[in-house]
Amino acid sequence: MTEIRTPRLLLRRWSDDDVVPLSEINADPAVMHWTGDGSPLDPDATAGEVERWEEEWDDEGFGQFAVELLGSGELIGAVGLSVVADDLPGLPSDVEIRWRLGRQFWGQGYASEAAQAALEFALQDRGVDRVVAVVRVGDHASANVAEKLGMAAEREITHPEQGHALQVYAIDLTEYAA
Ligand SMILES: CC(C)(COP(=O)(O)OP(=O)(O)OC[C@H]1O[C@@H](n2cnc3c(N)ncnc32)[C@H](O)[C@@H]1OP(=O)(O)O)[C@@H](O)C(=O)NCCC(=O)NCCS
């Protein structure tokens, strides 16, 4: 069972009980604005997302963590690692870090705290030495998180289907550990 504790958060794998609170997060248009085609996800789509994330954990040994508040146990969102979708140009087999929190949990440093722990997990537990973040141009909150993690803006690409501009950030974790 993979679990990480940070000062304020527990990062863990998913259970069926997470689908309802994650569906509430995914139903918020502000949360989903910069994700995929920008549409909120309904509970069925959310259940499918959790299923895919768990499959990725089983297949890759990493995935998106369920992030909960220590103490209350409230699910606040998803942060973690995924293999970059193979339709994104020039990022073959790269591991990407992603973050998504419920709106009431923004602005408290939780995303950065969880993401920092996920990067340490990538390097120390899984031997991943390079992680990218693919951020929609205009998504300043995500750019801010990437920059605070020490990720460098590498280049801009265009999403092959949706056509929007994406900024690729990257970090060499072997340097990050030093
Ligand atoms: C992207 C997202 C995760 C960023 O969340 P966030 O809360 O802004 O990010 P952070 O955790 O870094 O917290 C930011 C602010 O919390 C504040 N903060 C409050 N208490 C803090 C604490 N104890 N420690 C650190 N920061 C704290 C800081 O002022 C910080 O702002 P700063 O970096 O300008 O100083 C969030 O906006 C989100 O979930 N958006 C929707 C999903 C999304 O768009 N995902 C990306 C596309 S796939």
Side-chain angles (χ1 to χ4, degrees):
M1 193 67 172
T2 302
E3 288 193 349
I4 303 173
R5 275 164 206 272
T6 69
R8 297 179 295 169
L9 304 170
L10 173 66
L11 280 60
R12 57 164 175 77
R13 287 186 58 165
W14 296 87
S15 78
D16 291 344
D17 293 344
D18 296 317
V19 172
V20 168
L22 184 64
S23 296
E24 288 166 15
I25 293 170
N26 285 349
D28 181 345
V31 169
M32 300 308 289
H33 180 78
W34 297 107
T35 301
D37 68 1
S39 306
L41 297 184
D42 67 19
D44 281 350
T46 300
E49 188 171 54
V50 166
E51 198 174 320
R52 285 194 303 282
W53 289 339
E54 275 299 305
E55 280 169 12
E56 184 152 39
W57 271 107
D58 291 340
D59 293 347
E60 304 289 346
F62 56 75
Q64 297 300 308
F65 289 98
V67 181
E68 66 175 54
L69 288 183
L70 282 177
S72 72
E74 191 173 8
L75 184 81
I76 67 167
V79 176
L81 307 163
S82 287
V83 176
V84 175
D86 52 23
D87 55 355
L88 285 184
L91 297 170
S93 69
D94 263 323
V95 176
E96 124 181 74
I97 185 163
R98 294 197 211 144
W99 33 72
R100 183 195 309 160
L101 301 185
R103 204 192 318 186
Q104 67 271 42
F105 304 109
W106 297 356
Q108 299 172 67
Y110 291 141
S112 296
E113 187 170 320
Q116 178 87 26
L119 283 185
E120 286 167 13
F121 169 79
L123 176 68
Q124 291 165 6
D125 290 69
R126 293 296 179 262
V128 174
D129 56 13
R130 170 183 153 89
V131 171
V132 301
V134 183
V135 174
R136 283 270 298 277
V137 171
D139 178 1
H140 300 299
S142 290
N144 184 36
V145 175
E147 284 160 15
K148 285 193 294 182
L149 291 170
M151 304 186 86
E154 198 169 70
R155 66 205 159 89
E156 215 173 285
I157 59 175
T158 303
H159 194 288
E161 284 157 20
Q162 288 148 357
H164 43 235
L166 302 166
Q167 178 67 55
V168 177
Y169 288 84
I171 186 165
D172 176 344
L173 290 179
T174 53
E175 285 176 20
Y176 167 84

